[in-house]
Amino acid sequence: MLQLPLVVTAEVDLVLLLVSFLSLWTRLTQLGYPNNVVFDEVYYGQFVSLYMKRVFFIDDSGPPLGHMILALGAYLGGFDGNFVWNRIGAEYPSSVSVVCLRLLPALCGSLCVPLVYLLTLELKFSHLSALGAAVLLLLENSLIVQSRFMLLESVLIFFVLLAFFSYLKFHNAAPDSIFRFGWLLLSGAACAAAVGVKYMGVFSYLLLLGVASLHTWNLIGDRTVSHLSVCVQCVCRAVCLLVVPLLLYVFWFYVHLTLLHRSGPHDQLMSSAFQASLEGGLSRITQGQPLEVAYGSQVTLRSSSSQPIPCWLHSHKVNYPIRYENGRGSSHQQQVTCYPFKDVNNWWIIKDPDRQDLVVSSPPRPVRHGDVIQLLHGMTSRFLNRYAAVCL
């Protein structure tokens, strides 16, 4: 029977509330100052603009999750990507919400302080020790500065701390609690997020895996636990700490490629098939082309011996001179060169010498081994002065 009156008892950690308030105050107040591009904001801002315009790019320095988090803040602030990130110190225009650009890193940096407090308690230290650890992090000037700008360090630290805190909550929970595996799942997701922000997160992930492996080894040797329980727990740990992080890490790239569907400056780093999937750029040439090379196909030809720098067959609307400075004559025909970058002038149309058609027929006629073909330059409509025998 339900007994009245109902009584609800709540415990409030005032120290935790205090350090959380101070952390939010030090990281979030006057977030729009200075109203200028600071340090690596000039670097990350370029990627944020590309996200806003859905233009494909690759950042060689790290995976995409951190950039997407920064782009989310810019999106919430109504940023349209029309700002030129060309120099440090450039003033933000009034149309750009500087606070929104810096908000999510600042929130992550603010949450690091209470996370350290809770993490220290999970390590079985006293509340006084936890307060000391939180205060040290709260007053660390470098972390305050990193948190107040559109940078990724505070985001990375937040996910690393969240991963270890969640794992310790799982480890310290009662063995018969079903909800403890929720903490383990959160720990795996936080590990994937840390690695997805910066590759430096891999070191923290490996450390957590080492600690989890040691705990699992002790669990296997515990004779008081049934074999079935050991098997279930080992499978759950493997799924939450290995499978889930891997799937989430791949998922970050899936979201990245889904958002960026327009052609951009980094297309040349990708395969021709990938470039054809983007809107604009070379996709306007390759749209509707068959996957198998056929007569009428528009292709690029790369030398198989051009390593490590690739070399594509290239031409452009420039002729060789009638006579060189040393008096030597030339063909005065259109230049054909080897070009190390992907360019629209690398594209050629495969033509049947016995036909006039320059488009792919329906159904396509594939090019076979031993066929003799002509190559027509796609941009200038000039033939390469050689017939080629195809070797497959």
Side-chain angles (χ1 to χ4, degrees), residues 299-301 312-314 339 341-348:
V299 299
T300 57
L301 301 173
W312 281 272
L313 184 65
H314 177 94
Y339 195 60
F341 303 102
K342 289 194 175 183
D343 186 88
V344 291
N345 286 310
N346 298 351
W347 287 79
W348 301 81

Side-chain angles (χ1 to χ4, degrees), residues 94-115:
S94 58
S95 59
V96 177
S97 176
V98 183
V99 173
C100 289
L101 291 177
R102 298 169 176 172
L103 179 61
L104 294 184
L107 284 176
C108 289
S110 301
L111 293 176
C112 286
V113 176
L115 267 179

Side-chain angles (χ1 to χ4, degrees), residues 13-123:
D13 191 333
L14 295 179
V15 176
L16 176 61
L17 291 179
L18 177 62
V19 296
S20 299
F21 170 77
L22 292 176
S23 180
L24 290 169
W25 178 67
T26 55
R27 270 75 174 174
L28 294 179
T29 54
Q30 297 185 353
L31 199 57
Y33 176 83
N35 190 40
N36 303 84
V37 178
V38 178
F39 192 51
D40 272 359
E41 286 186 338
V42 72
Y43 174 73
Y44 294 116
Q46 298 174 28
F47 299 133
V48 170
S49 290
L50 292 174
Y51 269 117
M52 296 300 102
K53 297 178 180 180
R54 303 294 191 268
V55 173
F56 173 76
F57 72 88
I58 296 177
D59 180 16
D60 296 334
S61 66
L65 179 60
H67 303 87
M68 288 192 289
I69 292 175
L70 298 180
L72 175 61
Y75 174 79
L76 295 176
F79 180 54
D80 57 5
N82 292 322
F83 177 71
V84 181
W85 310 83
N86 55 357
R87 64 181 180 88
I88 297 174
E91 185 175 355
Y92 288 110
S94 58
S95 59
V96 177
S97 176
V98 183
V99 173
C100 289
L101 291 177
R102 298 169 176 172
L103 179 61
L104 294 184
L107 284 176
C108 289
S110 301
L111 293 176
C112 286
V113 176
L115 267 179
V116 165
Y117 178 84
L118 295 172
L119 178 62
T120 308
L121 293 180
E122 291 298 324
L123 289 171

Side-chain angles (χ1 to χ4, degrees), residues 204-270:
S204 299
Y205 177 46
L206 293 177
L207 175 60
L208 190 143
L209 285 181
V211 174
S213 299
L214 179 61
H215 291 163
T216 305
W217 181 258
N218 294 333
L219 174 67
I220 294 174
D222 190 348
R223 295 181 178 271
T224 62
V225 183
S226 65
H227 295 307
L228 178 60
S229 178
V230 170
C231 291
V232 170
Q233 292 205 48
C234 288
V235 170
C236 290
R237 292 169 191 238
V239 170
C240 293
L241 296 181
L242 293 175
V243 179
V244 170
L246 177 61
L247 293 177
L248 285 177
Y249 179 75
V250 175
F251 178 71
W252 310 143
F253 284 91
Y254 172 78
V255 175
H256 173 77
L257 296 175
T258 302
L259 291 174
L260 308 181
H261 54 81
R262 294 174 180 167
S263 176
H266 294 175
D267 294 5
Q268 67 177 13
L269 301 176
M270 307 301 290

Side-chain angles (χ1 to χ4, degrees), residues 87-198:
R87 64 181 180 88
I88 297 174
E91 185 175 355
Y92 288 110
S94 58
S95 59
V96 177
S97 176
V98 183
V99 173
C100 289
L101 291 177
R102 298 169 176 172
L103 179 61
L104 294 184
L107 284 176
C108 289
S110 301
L111 293 176
C112 286
V113 176
L115 267 179
V116 165
Y117 178 84
L118 295 172
L119 178 62
T120 308
L121 293 180
E122 291 298 324
L123 289 171
K124 307 301 183 183
F125 288 97
S126 66
H127 282 79
L128 184 60
S129 299
L131 175 61
V135 169
L136 288 176
L137 196 69
L138 173 68
L139 300 180
E140 174 53 52
N141 188 55
S142 62
L143 294 179
I144 295 176
V145 173
Q146 291 282 0
S147 300
R148 291 179 55 84
F149 297 109
M150 191 176 56
L151 306 174
L152 293 179
E153 281 69 22
S154 61
V155 182
L156 172 64
I157 296 172
F158 166 74
F159 283 124
V160 169
L161 292 174
L162 180 62
F164 280 96
F165 168 71
S166 302
Y167 179 78
L168 289 175
K169 288 288 290 186
F170 158 77
H171 179 69
N172 295 333
D176 57 348
S177 174
I178 301 178
F179 299 103
R180 65 194 293 254
F181 289 102
W183 287 109
L184 185 64
L185 183 62
L186 178 58
S187 178
C191 286
V195 178
V197 171
K198 280 196 172 185

